[in-house]
Amino acid sequence: GQQVMQIPQYQHVQEGEDFTTYCNSSTTLSNIQWYKQRPGGHPVFLIQLVKSGEVKKQKRLTFQFGEAKKNSSLHITATQTTDVGTYFCAGQGRRTYKYIFGTGTRLKVLA
Amino acid sequence: KAGVTQTPRYLIKTRGQQVTLSCSPISGHRSVSWYQQTPGQGLQFLFEYFSETQRNKGNFPGRFSGRQFSNSRSEMNVSTLELGDSALYLCASSLAGSFTDTQYFGPGTRLTVL
């Protein structure tokens, strides 16, 4: 069945370092959404990408959707302690129409 | 604008019982989706309701059902509870639909099945 894997599963960084999480789908996606979930909290929508090769920026966050629409990445420049949490990607299969969340990447930022 | 609210926030049930969870979306939002979150399986989509009709469904057994009322409030029901149903159940609302629009999540209902 359709799967969406994220790597790495965990990442510890020093404050000020950069961070990247990768999202890989087994099937082509119609779109990709990114969420952040703080410990003990609920997911918060960050962004949606729809077009092949699309790149969007939100302050220190850069999101990219692959040309084949099967992978995506989230890059954070100069991490801060407020970036701590789990980052999830989610997408709808272009043919399956199934909406699947990625496995998530848990980010810890050390001050 | 008030956010998405879910009731109850915590619930303890025993195997075999049934449970109903409630979700009130942001005013004006017609789409409500439900998700199950567990440490082992992560976040999984249950179903989406839009204007009182189920529009999408995930891969969950028929014990999981839902409905949406004319005021867009939604309920989720799980019958014949199993230990593996212990999870955080999240609902999210959006204007146009979960898969293509910004979703706003509620705080969740933590269900424990003993």
Side-chain angles (χ1 to χ4, degrees):
Chain A
Q2 180 184 340
Q3 288 184 317
V4 179
M5 302 297 292
Q6 281 183 253
I7 53 170
Q9 193 176 359
Y10 302 95
Q11 182 82 61
H12 292 184
V13 299
Q14 285 292 135
E15 191 174 20
E17 289 183 339
D18 292 357
F19 159 77
T20 303
T21 173
Y22 298 92
C23 174
N24 299 300
S25 171
S26 58
T27 60
T28 305
L29 301 171
S30 297
N31 58 6
I32 193 107
Q33 297 176 334
W34 283 92
Y35 296 83
K36 176 185 177 182
Q37 186 173 21
R38 290 179 184 272
H42 56 271
V44 173
F45 179 92
L46 294 175
I47 208 159
Q48 175 171 267
L49 304 170
V50 177
K51 298 176 186 172
S52 168
E54 189 171 12
V55 178
K56 285 188 177 180
K57 293 191 176 186
Q58 284 181 351
K59 297 182 181 176
R60 295 178 296 105
L61 277 61
T62 301
F63 303 84
Q64 193 162 5
F65 201 8
E67 293 290 340
K69 300 183 82 172
K70 292 181 75 173
N71 52 64
S72 180
S73 64
L74 157 59
H75 179 82
I76 302 178
T77 304
T79 54
Q80 300 174 357
T81 54
T82 52
D83 295 326
V84 163
T86 301
Y87 292 85
F88 292 98
C89 62
Q92 182 181 19
R94 191 159 64 92
R95 291 193 179 87
T96 65
Y97 299 103
K98 297 293 183 186
Y99 185 66
I100 306 285
F101 268 84
T103 47
T105 295
R106 189 179 297 178
L107 173 65
K108 202 166 189 175
V109 180
L110 308 170
Chain B
K1 216 179 202 181
V4 178
T5 58
Q6 291 187 245
T7 56
R9 293 293 311 280
Y10 302 91
L11 206 49
I12 299 176
K13 292 283 187 180
T14 56
R15 274 183 303 175
Q17 286 188 309
Q18 68 110 26
V19 67
T20 299
L21 312 181
S22 181
C23 173
S24 291
I26 291 172
S27 177
H29 285 192
R30 294 163 67 188
S31 167
V32 173
S33 293
W34 288 89
Y35 300 87
Q36 182 195 65
Q37 186 171 31
T38 60
Q41 299 297 318
L43 266 164
Q44 295 185 87
F45 169 74
L46 279 155
F47 30 66
E48 179 198 13
Y49 284 86
F50 187 89
S51 294
E52 302 179 66
T53 301
Q54 187 180 86
R55 194 155 73 167
N56 288 292
K57 190 174 185 304
N59 296 327
F60 277 80
R63 299 185 297 108
F64 292 82
S65 63
R67 59 177 175 167
Q68 187 179 33
F69 302 96
S70 58
N71 61 359
S72 292
R73 189 178 72 84
S74 178
E75 286 182 348
M76 190 192 93
N77 184 277
V78 188
S79 63
T80 321
L81 284 166
E82 300 176 0
L83 295 179
D85 297 333
S86 293
L88 179 67
Y89 289 89
L90 295 156
C91 82
S93 77
S94 65
L95 273 171
S98 301
F99 300 175
T100 57
D101 195 9
T102 303
Q103 291 192 86
Y104 298 86
F105 280 81
T109 294
R110 173 77 60 186
L111 171 65
T112 302
V113 182
L114 303 175

